Amino acid sequence: MSHTALDVLQDVFGYDSFRGKQYDVIQTLQQGGDALVLMPTGGGKSLCYQIPALLRPGTGIVVSPLIALMQDQVDALTELGVQAAYLNSTQDWQTVREVEREFLTGQLDLLYVAPERLLTDRCLNMLARGQISLFAIDEAHCVSQWGHDFRPEYLGLSLLAQRWPEVPRVALTATATAQTRAEIAQRLQLEQAEHYVSSFDRPNIFYRIVEKKEVRRQLLAFIQQEHAGDAGIVYCLSRNRVDETAAFLAEQGIHALPYHAGLDAAQRARNQTRFLREEGVVMVATIAFGMGVNKPDVRFVAHIDLPKSVEGYYQETGRAGRDGEPANAWLAYGLQDVVQLHRMISESAGDEMHRRNLAQQVDAMLALCETTSCRRQGLLAYFGQQIDACGHCDTCVEPPESWDGTIAAQKLLSAIFRLWRERGQRFGAGHLIDILQGKRTERVLSNQHETLSVFGVGSDLSDQMWRSVLRQLLAQNLIEVDSEGHRTLVLTETSRAVLKGERRLLLRRESSSGPAAHKVKSQRAQEPALEGEDLRCFEVLRSWRAQVAREQGVAAFVIFQNATLRAIAQQRPAQLSDLDGITGIGAHKRETYGQALLDCVAAFQKQNQDQLMPSAALE
Ligand code: ADP
Ligand code: ZN
């Protein structure tokens, strides 16, 4: 049996070294201390509790909010030869009894439990009769009442500290502003815990934000040109939009499935399982989908509506590329989104302060969209982290040009001002632009707006340009959406300085082809490229993996991750000892699948030779 953390990492998991703060967290827990771990998605949080659970006597209890996820975690551990099980509401009583027996007789290294389950008397009594090595509280931000994933059951977890003061506890999350972190520490009674905060940067994700035009066409082009056959997630704001978009993509031959809270539970579970198990499924979803989705090879996350906050956006995009390989975050947004979000806020429940808080979050998101500097800088600044321009986002790759928009802004602001002052009227974006451009629409004529002094003063700019100006004025808080929710635009405190010519405004110029369409696409080129024979060998291994996964009813990545298959395709091992040191092959997997892998490689080599023979004979 292994003795040090490094031994376990290598022998059981097949990895050669620790990442980031993993080792420090493991040490703390191994010595009986508590820890609060903030690591971005894909940072490797699981090992932080799995390894100490293997090293300490007793069973590690993992609190995890998602039932669908437990199964994959347990499958993956079982493949590694680790004794793991879960308890949740999907099991029949016989299975539950059996798992309980295994726990009580000390056979389990890890036991996953849903929080509501854990807090039942039956479960607490069972735990009291066995030996516990540690408690791991995954997705710990669920305890935060301000966050979007709040789960009331999580509040009950402070009980663990009281009942088992001597058992080390670790809380883990991929999302936390300083405020959320303080809340986690306080509510879970982890004030004494060591904090391990990693950089939140996800360097393998390429960030891109485009202007919304015909969004379904744009989305389709993005998927077809850059992600044909890839797994991805498309986020929409409403259930209707999810259904429409999924149907549209499916019609276009993309393997797309819907997911939202309006579907019945069975359908949701089925779609989620297909997303996890099959390759190349595109999940079109509301934000109800995703927390804890641990599929490592999601290659893109697309948003076709403006997310409500930067924190939510970062978390959603973080579901791409957990395996560390290149992935894309793509967002399309337009003026309409901003107006719609503000309307939703004004209609939402809660007091004025709550609504103001929500509106500020939208504004921060809008500012990120309209920024002329590095997107990643903007994102990470939101989490209190400073970085240099990243070189791996659309604004870094093709810095937007700027232009002096002072006069345009003055025209727009004064149109809003005059309508209100002279006529006591307020209007939305479309009508304001019509007035500026001097369009004699029915609405213009019936209101006699052609007699306004600002009528037609903006005919030099296109519709698209005016929309861009409007968005940027919103982003800079020089105008705002009327808080009564009529979708009309009003001036703010800060508008005056621009109107009076005391402040110059540099605006971002939208390129007509859509931001940087040519330069910033196809991040695939950067993937550790497999070519020719290696690529064909990889495909052979992949179909072998698909077959094994099907036979065992588990997700493909549970058998081996792409990185492992890629290494094999490149190295073409001929004997078992050649498998040593290939990432992701521990002792148990080598024993179970080593020979099959070698057979795959050998068969590929032979077929390759046979194909080469005739041409060799010609020489
Ligand atoms: P998180 O829960 O933080 O999102 P995971 O624990 O799922 O991340 O780990 C992400 C991926 O990285 C997994 O495929 C995992 O096996 C892999 N991984 C974790 N730690 C290491 C390591 N030290 N070396 C190599 N791969 C690792
Ligand atoms: Zn950048």
Side-chain angles (χ1 to χ4, degrees), residues 112-149:
Y112 286 75
V113 192
E116 60 279 8
R117 181 80 181 208
L118 179 82
L119 296 171
T120 60
D121 285 340
R122 181 184 176 103
C123 192
L124 291 170
N125 288 336
M126 175 197 78
L127 291 180
R129 286 186 291 137
Q131 190 179 16
I132 299 170
S133 59
L134 57 83
F135 287 106
I137 300 164
D138 208 1
E139 311 287 356
H141 64 282
C142 289
V143 80
S144 159
Q145 275 166 314
W146 288 101
H148 37 68
D149 290 327

Side-chain angles (χ1 to χ4, degrees), residues 31-52:
Q31 289 160 10
D34 295 338
L36 176 51
V37 177
L38 278 82
M39 269 187 199
T41 312
K45 285 185 282 301
S46 327
L47 291 187
C48 293
Y49 57 84
Q50 288 170 346
I51 291 182

Side-chain angles (χ1 to χ4, degrees), residues 83-87 91-108 111 117 122 126:
Q83 304 300 314
Y86 60 82
L87 282 176
Q91 293 162 308
D92 58 39
W93 67 269
Q94 271 165 316
T95 315
V96 170
R97 282 254 171 107
E98 177 57 22
V99 171
E100 289 176 350
R101 194 189 58 76
E102 286 173 353
F103 168 74
L104 290 170
T105 52
Q107 293 176 53
L108 295 177
L111 176 60
R117 181 80 181 208
R122 181 184 176 103
M126 175 197 78

Side-chain angles (χ1 to χ4, degrees), residues 297-364:
D297 57 349
V298 175
R299 291 271 70 81
F300 70 90
V301 170
H303 284 83
I304 61 170
D305 294 307
L306 189 67
K308 291 179 194 164
S309 71
V310 176
E311 195 170 3
Y313 173 66
Y314 200 55
Q315 195 177 31
E316 284 142 31
T317 55
R319 291 174 188 138
R322 285 176 92 119
D323 53 12
E325 295 183 19
N328 273 309
W330 184 90
L331 159 65
Y333 97 103
L335 193 52
Q336 224 25 58
D337 289 310
V338 186
V339 176
Q340 193 188 350
L341 280 181
H342 277 285
R343 202 200 47 193
M344 282 170 66
I345 290 169
S346 65
E347 286 167 1
S348 74
D351 57 14
E352 182 53 31
M353 202 177 86
H354 180 59
R355 280 200 290 269
R356 204 170 319 137
N357 191 3
L358 293 177
Q360 274 166 7
Q361 295 186 359
V362 172
D363 291 344

Side-chain angles (χ1 to χ4, degrees), residues 10-11 14-16 567-568 571 573-587 589-591 594 597-598:
Q10 294 173 341
D11 297 348
Y15 299 140
D16 56 346
I568 293 172
Q571 296 176 26
Q575 48 196 19
L576 283 175
S577 60
D578 296 342
L579 294 173
D580 287 346
I582 291 185
T583 183
I585 306 188
K589 283 200 174 168
R590 189 174 53 222
E591 211 166 284
L597 286 172
L598 296 179

Side-chain angles (χ1 to χ4, degrees), residues 74-280:
V74 168
D75 285 347
L77 287 165
T78 308
E79 286 293 332
L80 294 167
V82 173
Q83 304 300 314
Y86 60 82
L87 282 176
N88 67 36
S89 54
T90 64
Q91 293 162 308
D92 58 39
W93 67 269
Q94 271 165 316
T95 315
V96 170
R97 282 254 171 107
E98 177 57 22
V99 171
E100 289 176 350
R101 194 189 58 76
E102 286 173 353
F103 168 74
L104 290 170
T105 52
Q107 293 176 53
L108 295 177
D109 296 314
L110 284 150
L111 176 60
Y112 286 75
V113 192
E116 60 279 8
R117 181 80 181 208
L118 179 82
L119 296 171
T120 60
D121 285 340
R122 181 184 176 103
C123 192
L124 291 170
N125 288 336
M126 175 197 78
L127 291 180
R129 286 186 291 137
Q131 190 179 16
I132 299 170
S133 59
L134 57 83
F135 287 106
I137 300 164
D138 208 1
E139 311 287 356
H141 64 282
C142 289
V143 80
S144 159
Q145 275 166 314
W146 288 101
H148 37 68
D149 290 327
F150 175 57
R151 305 228 166 183
E153 315 87 74
Y154 263 67
L155 293 175
L157 295 175
S158 59
L159 173 147
L160 300 178
Q162 289 141 25
R163 284 230 191 166
W164 286 275
E166 73 294 353
V167 176
R169 289 175 304 133
V170 55
L172 311 100
T173 175
T175 185
T177 55
Q179 185 196 4
T180 316
R181 201 199 315 168
E183 230 181 320
I184 294 173
Q186 188 231 327
R187 292 189 199 277
L188 294 178
Q189 297 196 6
L190 282 168
E191 287 97 345
Q192 306 299 318
E194 290 281 342
H195 288 209
Y196 296 96
V197 183
S198 305
S199 162
F200 270 71
D201 192 12
R202 301 285 311 282
N204 59 316
I205 300 180
F206 187 96
Y207 281 91
R208 185 176 2 161
I209 300 180
V210 306
E211 193 187 355
K212 200 188 262 192
K213 289 173 194 156
E214 279 181 276
V215 72
R216 290 202 304 192
R217 291 274 145 217
Q218 289 171 288
L219 174 68
L220 183 66
F222 166 69
I223 296 178
Q224 285 176 335
Q225 289 164 18
E226 300 178 42
H227 288 290
D230 285 344
I233 307 175
V234 177
Y235 281 111
C236 310
L237 206 54
S238 69
R239 297 173 187 185
N240 268 346
R241 233 160 123 71
V242 166
D243 290 333
E244 281 165 24
T245 310
F248 167 76
L249 290 177
E251 262 166 43
Q252 304 294 324
I254 288 168
H255 193 354
L257 299 174
Y259 191 105
H260 57 69
L263 297 172
D264 69 68
Q267 169 95 46
R268 278 206 310 267
R270 209 160 42 236
N271 288 358
Q272 169 151 335
T273 305
R274 288 185 61 188
F275 177 73
L276 295 173
R277 300 282 157 90
E278 295 173 22
E279 295 202 35

